[in-house]
Amino acid sequence: MELLKGKIKKEGIVLSENVLKVDSFINHQMDPILMKEIGKEFANRFRNENITKVLTIESSGIAPAIMTGLELEVPVIFARKRKSLTLTSDLYTSTVYSYTKKETNEITVSQKYILEGDNVLIIDDFLANGQAAIGLAEIVEKAKAKVSGIGILIEKSFQPGAEDIISKGYRLESLARIKSLHNEDVQFVD
Ligand code: G4P
């Protein structure tokens, strides 16, 4: 998606060989016009999958997920990383280890919101090692629903997540695919 790639080129800051900072439009300040276009793009790419729910994980996945849900006119659910005061029983859970942050999160979704027969589109901002997306897919499968696709804003193609997701048979659509962050420069996959 050229709009997103242009924004990354202009405003992204390469922090290391592995980490790209996009705080000015995704992870802290958010660009609603870009998010609206991202929602349209995912909706177009997954239009034929008869999506019934969009699933993401807090917090940075929520903005693109809600815009996608708006376009597809389906509900949007976000998995929680922290325990909720009111969500205490009948939960689907999955354990997600972050190699980047070196921490483990138990992610949860209420059993009320993903139902057998749902066609679920998973959306997230970054794909690095794929643990968040795979954890979300596990939750969908525990609910006997279908993972109809995984939509990612920024895939770091030099990390193993994308290959892992594809090898598990899921349809992956990434809007910007980064080949390398060498020499403080963002190189996209062609
Ligand atoms: P994985 O899910 O693909 O295995 O990714 P990983 O554990 O490595 O990532 C953990 C967190 O770090 C995620 O955010 C992910 O979005 C973020 N992340 C990974 N690589 C990058 C990067 O290059 N740049 C930025 N800006 N973020 C990256 P999170 O902890 O869920 O945070 P948030 O959604 O609450 O913002």
Side-chain angles (χ1 to χ4, degrees):
M1 184 189 186
E2 292 310 315
L3 187 63
L4 176 61
K5 284 159 73 175
K7 193 88 171 169
I8 292 169
K9 272 283 183 199
K10 199 157 155 239
E11 295 186 27
I13 299 167
V14 178
L15 286 188
S16 69
E17 296 269 298
N18 288 324
V19 179
L20 174 70
K21 185 172 160 100
V22 287
D23 278 34
S24 70
F25 58 104
I26 294 176
N27 290 139
H28 194 29
Q29 174 170 264
M30 289 181 282
D31 178 341
I33 296 170
L34 174 69
M35 289 299 170
K36 189 174 166 191
E37 293 307 316
I38 285 171
K40 284 187 194 162
E41 183 71 27
F42 281 135
N44 287 339
R45 293 192 192 202
F46 290 101
R47 188 84 63 192
N48 296 331
E49 302 282 352
N50 190 26
I51 303 296
T52 59
K53 304 270 166 70
V54 174
L55 175 65
T56 187
I57 181 164
E58 63 178 340
S59 51
S60 299
I62 295 176
I66 194 92
M67 291 306 189
T68 308
L70 185 64
E71 279 296 318
L72 291 170
E73 300 187 344
V74 298
V76 177
I77 304 140
F78 65 91
R80 290 179 179 270
K81 287 184 202 156
R82 285 165 286 272
K83 294 227 172 347
S84 154
L85 186 66
T86 56
L87 261 185
T88 49
S89 59
D90 300 327
L91 301 172
Y92 291 120
T93 63
S94 177
T95 303
V96 173
Y97 177 71
S98 166
Y99 289 96
T100 308
K101 295 191 171 172
K102 311 237 177 323
E103 63 181 30
T104 302
N105 280 303
E106 178 96 327
I107 65 167
T108 56
V109 172
S110 166
Q111 294 183 0
K112 275 200 292 194
Y113 300 124
I114 303 185
L115 305 175
E116 188 171 350
D118 268 329
N119 294 329
V120 180
L121 171 58
I122 293 171
I123 298 285
D124 207 0
D125 56 341
F126 270 93
L127 177 60
N129 293 287
Q131 297 304 299
I134 287 165
L136 291 171
E138 257 175 41
I139 284 182
V140 173
E141 279 163 7
K142 281 183 184 172
K144 299 193 171 67
K146 179 182 169 196
V147 178
S148 296
I150 298 178
I152 298 291
L153 274 58
I154 305 176
E155 169 190 309
K156 291 185 289 179
S157 309
F158 55 89
Q159 291 185 293
E163 220 168 287
D164 201 16
I165 282 172
I166 292 164
S167 75
K168 287 183 160 48
Y170 299 123
R171 176 175 170 201
L172 174 66
E173 293 282 345
S174 302
L175 303 185
R177 300 177 64 219
I178 296 179
K179 188 163 66 180
S180 104
L181 295 172
H182 291 320
N183 303 323
E184 297 181 6
D185 184 40
V186 181
Q187 290 289 329
F188 294 105
V189 176
D190 299 331

